[in-house]
């Protein structure tokens, strides 16, 4: 998932990648990482997107695809839910706009 964040990962495909059953993988991942695999994947993708937003003017639709979202709208909703600001605002306000956890405004 780290090497290919854009892949259409599912719990089943992640488990298959490491040669485990879906239920065994889910339990082991949660025990080791502290959160479910797909929740971790979403956070990983959004952290990558945040970093790439700071790097340059890549179109949001292209960035969404780079981190595994099928549409720009779905990516924007997930980004705003996670960081508390839409990606366009985060890009304009970087780095200050991205430094605050979601829900904390000054």
């Amino acid at each position: 998932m780290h090497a290919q964040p854009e892949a259409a990962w599912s719990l089943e495909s992640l488990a298959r990648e490491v040669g485990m059953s879906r239920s065994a993988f889910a339990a082991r991942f949660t025990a080791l990482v502290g959160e479910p695999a797909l929740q971790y994947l979403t956070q990983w993708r959004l952290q990558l997107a945040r970093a790439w937003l700071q790097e340059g003017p890549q179109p949001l639709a292209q960035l969404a695809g780079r981190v595994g979202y099928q549409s720009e709208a779905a990516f924007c909703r997930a980004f705003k839910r996670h960081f508390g600001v839409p990606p366009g605002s985060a890009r304009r306000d970087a780095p200050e706009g991205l430094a605050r956890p979601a829900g904390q405004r000054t």
Side-chain angles (χ1 to χ4, degrees):
M1 80 174 65
H2 289 116
Q4 295 178 318
E6 75 286 354
W9 293 112
S10 66
L11 195 55
E12 186 174 334
S13 64
L14 289 167
R16 187 175 34 243
E17 192 73 21
V18 295
M20 297 176 76
S21 73
R22 194 175 71 115
S23 59
F25 173 77
R28 181 104 170 121
F29 191 97
T30 300
L32 291 173
V33 178
E35 63 185 317
L38 296 181
Q39 183 176 325
Y40 175 86
L41 175 61
T42 297
Q43 291 182 23
W44 170 245
R45 287 172 166 169
L46 293 172
Q47 292 294 332
L48 284 175
R50 183 175 78 166
W52 289 335
L53 273 170
Q54 293 177 324
E55 287 179 3
Q58 185 176 74
L60 289 179
Q62 185 179 1
L63 182 61
R66 257 182 102 180
V67 293
Y69 284 86
Q70 296 296 314
S71 73
E72 180 179 343
F75 166 69
C76 289
R77 283 191 304 272
F79 192 96
K80 184 173 182 178
R81 186 172 43 250
H82 188 75
F83 293 111
V85 294
S89 295
R91 178 180 288 169
R92 282 189 302 274
D93 299 341
E96 180 187 326
L98 297 175
R100 292 187 298 272
Q104 290 186 348
R105 300 280 176 142
T106 57

